[in-house]
Amino acid sequence: MASSFSAFIDWPDAPLTASLVRKALEGLSPTHADSPIQTGNLLQWSTYDSIDHEQALTRPKQVLSSSYTFRKALIRKHFLSRVVHAYLTKHPDSPLKRAIPATYELEISFADELDEMWTDELWELGQKLDGGDSWWILKPGMADRGMGIRIFNSKEGFQEIFEGFESDEESDDDSEGQAQASDTAVVTSQLRHFVVQEYLPNPLLFNPHEVSWQGTPKSGALEGHKFHLRVYCVAAGALKVYVYTRILALFAPVPYTEPQTEDGEIDLGPHLTNTSLQTELGEENVRLFDELIGSRIMSSDQRVFTADDLQDILVQVSDALGETFQAAVDSPVHFQACPHLFQSL
C-alpha cells in the first residue's frame, strides 16, 4: 500500500533527534524524502533552516512543518522581553507580572556606549544600581548554553563586564588555565542585543544528591543548590499549547551562595545551572522534578517538598506559558501562528 505522505527529516547536528523523529513516524509508514521539494502531502520535521518555508506558506493544505516561520518572540530573549512588556502594559493583572522579573533591554556593540545609555534607555536601571541593594543578571539575546551570562550590582561592574568581553575578543590566549568567565565570553559587537533582569535573591533550593543517582543517595550534610526547570511543550496550529509534565530540574554544580565578588571576579558556579557548562559531570546534577517529592527544601526550614507543592508549580508553569504565547500572538511582527505549523520548545 502506497504511503499517503512524504516525510522530510533533516537534523544535521542532532542525529539523536533525527532517529527519534523517524521512530515516532514508524507507525504511519511515510515515504522518506531526501529533499523538501515534493508534490503531494508533505511533512517537514526538520531544523528551521532545512524547512522549505515557501512551500509551507503556499501549500497549507498539503504541507505540515515543524516550525513556525515567524517565531522570534519564542526564541530570542530580547524579542520575548519586548512582547511581554507590550502585553503587560495592556494586561497588568496577567500571571506574567509575577512570573518574569524586572527586565531591561539594550543594544550595544562596545563598552564605551554605556556612558550615554545611563542617561537614556538605562536610566531607570542606573537608579536602581545606585541604590546598591540588588543584583542583576545579564543575558545575550541570541546566545544559549550559558554563554555571556554575567552577574553584577553596580554600574562599574556592568562596565567591566563589557570591557571584559572586548578584552577576550582581542586576546589570542586559549590556554587551559582560562577562568570560567572567559570560557563563556561572547563577542559583543556581533551579538549586540542583551537583556538585563533582576536577580532573585532567595531561590528555591534542593540538594540533588538527596535523590539517588546511579546508586545510593549521598550521605552526610547536604547544602542547597540552585536549579532551573526545563519544561518541554508543543505549540500546534493557531493555537494550542501542550505542556509535557515530565519536567527536568537542572542543578548548579556547587551549593548556592549569594553573589559575591572575590578579587574582582564573581564566581558563577553557584548560579549557572546549564548542563552544557557541566559536561564532565554528565547527568549527575539532573533530576526529574517529581523525583524531588519528599526532599528537603534547603532554602526554608527544610520542610519536605510535597506532591501538592509540585502540582501548584505545574499550574503556575502552565499559566505563565499560556500567557507567554498569548503575548506572542498579540505581536504578529515577531510571531505568527498558522494552522499547518507546529513547534516543540
Side-chain angles (χ1 to χ4, degrees), residues 8-290:
F8 173 63
I9 302 167
D10 187 44
W11 299 86
D13 299 321
L16 176 59
T17 300
S19 67
L20 292 173
V21 170
R22 291 180 185 277
K23 184 176 181 180
L25 294 175
E26 282 179 356
L28 301 177
S29 302
T31 299
H32 289 282
D34 295 326
S35 164
I37 308 301
Q38 303 291 323
T39 58
N41 296 328
L42 171 66
L43 169 64
Q44 302 185 90
W45 201 336
S46 309
T47 63
Y48 182 87
D49 292 332
S50 297
I51 290 174
D52 186 333
H53 294 279
E54 183 176 352
Q55 280 206 89
L57 295 175
T58 58
R59 296 201 297 134
K61 293 185 178 180
Q62 291 181 295
V63 178
L64 178 66
S65 300
S66 64
S67 177
Y68 292 105
T69 303
F70 300 96
R71 56 173 193 161
K72 287 182 178 178
L74 301 179
I75 64 171
R76 303 299 188 204
K77 300 180 188 71
H78 53 297
F79 283 110
L80 175 61
S81 168
R82 204 169 297 172
V83 301
V84 167
H85 175 75
Y87 186 73
L88 288 178
T89 301
K90 300 175 184 177
H91 307 278
D93 296 328
S94 165
L96 286 181
K97 190 76 173 180
R98 180 168 175 259
I100 296 181
T103 303
Y104 299 92
E105 183 184 332
L106 69 152
E107 182 177 347
I108 183 172
S109 298
F110 303 100
D112 56 13
E113 296 174 27
L114 283 174
D115 289 339
E116 290 188 13
M117 290 185 176
W118 293 127
T119 60
D120 193 2
E121 59 260 51
L122 293 182
W123 183 86
E124 185 176 339
L125 174 62
Q127 293 294 106
K128 294 183 178 181
L129 287 172
D130 288 340
D133 57 354
S134 60
W135 284 85
W136 298 79
I137 185 166
L138 172 75
K139 303 175 183 179
M142 294 186 289
D144 55 12
R145 300 178 181 273
M147 302 303 294
I149 294 180
R150 297 291 185 269
I151 300 173
F152 63 96
N153 67 342
S154 66
K155 290 180 179 178
E156 294 75 20
F158 197 46
Q159 179 87 25
E160 289 170 2
I161 288 171
F162 286 100
E163 290 174 351
F165 287 158
E166 291 181 4
S167 176
D168 287 332
E169 181 182 353
E170 296 168 358
S171 175
D172 293 325
D173 182 12
D174 293 323
S175 65
E176 294 182 0
Q178 283 182 306
Q180 179 191 24
S182 217
D183 291 338
T184 59
V186 294
V187 180
T188 308
S189 57
Q190 292 181 6
L191 291 177
R192 294 173 47 213
H193 296 281
F194 294 82
V195 295
V196 173
Q197 293 184 311
E198 187 171 10
Y199 192 60
L200 303 182
N202 298 307
L204 182 64
L205 303 177
F206 293 102
N207 190 297
H209 303 294
E210 193 170 2
V211 177
S212 177
W213 181 81
Q214 291 189 348
T216 58
K218 184 177 290 187
S219 59
L222 297 176
E223 298 179 85
H225 289 235
K226 181 185 172 184
F227 68 100
H228 79 268
L229 297 179
R230 176 69 56 83
V231 182
Y232 294 97
C233 71
V234 174
L239 178 73
K240 289 185 178 180
V241 181
Y242 302 89
V243 179
Y244 185 52
T245 57
R246 298 283 279 176
I247 295 173
L248 296 177
L250 279 57
F251 286 85
V254 296
Y256 178 78
T257 59
E258 292 185 0
Q260 50 192 316
T261 303
E262 293 184 11
D263 299 325
E265 297 286 341
I266 296 176
D267 181 12
L268 298 176
H271 308 285
L272 297 189
T273 55
N274 308 68
T275 53
S276 55
L277 302 178
Q278 308 175 44
T279 53
E280 73 284 358
L281 298 177
E283 297 182 357
E284 181 177 342
N285 291 314
V286 179
R287 298 291 185 275
L288 284 169
F289 195 30
D290 57 15

Side-chain angles (χ1 to χ4, degrees), residues 308-320:
D308 288 341
D309 293 327
L310 174 65
Q311 185 59 37
D312 180 60
I313 291 175
L314 290 178
V315 170
Q316 293 181 55
V317 167
S318 297
D319 289 345

